[in-house]
Amino acid sequence: MNIIIIDDETPARNNLKQIIKDNFKDANVIGEADSVKTGLELLNQTKTDIVLLDINLSDGSGFNILEQVKNINFQVIFVTAYNDYAIKAFKFNALDYVLKPIELSQLTRVFDKARELLNDDFITKEELNIVLDNYSKKDEDKKLVIQEFNKVSFVAIKKIIKFISDGSYTTIYLNDNTKLTCSKTIKVYQELLPESMFYRVHNSSLINMNYVSEFNKEDGGYVVMSDGSHVQISRRRKNEFFRILTEKFS
């Protein structure tokens, strides 16, 4: 794997190079840059497999590089200082990232994935535009990247009615009556999506409260969604859900 590092901090670049040299025999750092300008020049002149790209650079951001580079024919692994908002934006788009200070376990994880995807699954301009939008938009206006078995969909979270899990698979129901199925667990989406919109009413169900049409306390408790479906509420979550629902719409 040929690797380029773009980071405006010399110690950070040196640390990365040393970790790679000491631990990844199939990896070779072939170039480095410290700014948007030098990063663009390097990427337009050099063929590489992977770019370790810092988000915050002295003259702009790593996103500026991806917007301007001639061809994105490499894997992108973002490098960022710990920031909940940034991390959530990456998870929304299923992009790979490592946190500063970088540790061996992080690089091992992303390099393992990169090896499987080399020459196969580069970030697209559409994905880039969505991650940029997600950085600037409010939660309810963000889009979620849903990776199905044979395609990738970009879905506005305000269009999602509910998530229903079946083991390790999750089906996502949209307000236009379409369904998407992916291999992520429902717990992943629960942790990712805004609590102000989504509530996990059952181990197998996560619903968008904006689509609740009716709350029925009979038969243990269930909600009727805008698409007419009934979603069971677990007994231990019924009182909390009713309180949250009341507060949200009072």
Side-chain angles (χ1 to χ4, degrees):
M1 299 184 296
N2 289 326
I3 297 170
I4 284 175
I5 300 171
I6 303 177
D7 193 312
D8 61 353
E9 299 175 356
T10 301
R13 295 198 308 274
N14 291 338
N15 179 54
L16 254 177
K17 285 189 294 184
Q18 194 62 50
I19 294 176
I20 292 170
K21 180 181 178 181
D22 292 344
N23 297 280
F24 301 96
K25 303 307 180 186
D26 64 339
N28 181 36
V29 177
I30 62 171
E32 56 184 287
D34 62 359
S35 65
V36 172
K37 182 177 183 296
T38 58
L40 267 174
E41 292 172 353
L42 181 60
L43 289 179
N44 284 331
Q45 297 169 6
T46 310
K47 178 171 172 48
T48 189
D49 299 311
I50 297 172
V51 176
L52 289 163
L53 181 60
D54 193 7
I55 295 176
N56 298 312
L57 300 168
S58 57
D59 59 344
S61 77
F63 297 124
N64 298 141
I65 294 177
L66 296 180
E67 287 175 303
Q68 300 175 59
V69 72
K70 291 177 183 177
N71 295 299
I72 303 179
N73 53 4
F74 44 80
Q75 300 292 330
V76 180
I77 298 172
F78 292 97
V79 180
T80 179
Y82 187 80
N83 178 295
D84 283 337
Y85 191 74
I87 300 309
K88 184 168 283 192
F90 290 130
K91 288 183 177 179
F92 257 93
N93 294 274
L95 299 177
D96 269 326
Y97 64 91
V98 291
L99 298 174
K100 289 183 176 181
I102 293 171
E103 298 177 351
L104 175 59
S105 59
Q106 293 190 77
L107 278 185
T108 300
R109 173 182 61 81
V110 293
F111 280 1
D112 284 347
K113 183 177 178 182
R115 286 187 191 92
E116 298 175 3
L117 299 177
L118 285 180
N119 303 317
D120 180 47
D121 191 26
F122 307 131
I123 184 174
T124 65
K125 290 294 184 182
E126 185 173 14
E127 287 174 304
L128 177 61
N129 289 335
I130 287 175
V131 76
L132 288 171
D133 281 346
N134 281 351
Y135 255 81
S136 59
K137 288 182 176 179
K138 297 182 294 184
D139 278 343
E140 59 265 29
D141 295 323
K142 291 180 179 180
K143 288 186 177 180
L144 191 64
V145 174
I146 308 295
Q147 295 183 326
E148 295 187 272
F149 307 108
N150 58 352
K151 66 176 180 177
V152 176
S153 300
F154 307 94
V155 179
I157 65 170
K158 60 187 175 185
K159 293 183 177 181
I160 299 173
I161 294 177
K162 61 184 179 183
F163 299 79
I164 303 295
S165 72
D166 181 10
S168 59
Y169 294 95
T170 299
T171 301
I172 301 156
Y173 295 78
L174 307 182
N175 63 1
D176 61 359
N177 295 319
T178 60
K179 297 188 296 184
L180 308 172
T181 301
C182 65
S183 58
K184 282 184 170 29
T185 64
I186 203 167
K187 185 174 185 293
V188 171
Y189 294 111
Q190 179 188 6
E191 294 174 348
L192 185 59
L193 293 165
E195 293 181 1
S196 59
M197 291 177 67
F198 292 86
Y199 186 83
R200 191 169 179 178
V201 294
H202 194 277
N203 284 341
S204 61
S205 309
L206 176 68
I207 65 171
N208 186 337
M209 291 188 289
N210 293 322
Y211 288 103
V212 173
S213 296
E214 180 183 317
F215 173 51
N216 195 313
K217 296 182 180 181
E218 297 177 354
D219 300 325
Y222 64 89
V223 290
V224 180
M225 306 302 291
S226 61
D227 60 355
S229 62
H230 290 198
V231 180
Q232 199 72 28
I233 304 175
S234 71
R235 291 185 181 277
R236 64 185 180 87
R237 293 174 179 159
K238 184 168 63 174
N239 291 337
E240 181 185 46
F241 174 72
F242 182 66
R243 176 183 60 78
I244 292 173
L245 195 66
T246 302
E247 291 175 356
K248 182 176 177 63
F249 295 107
S250 60

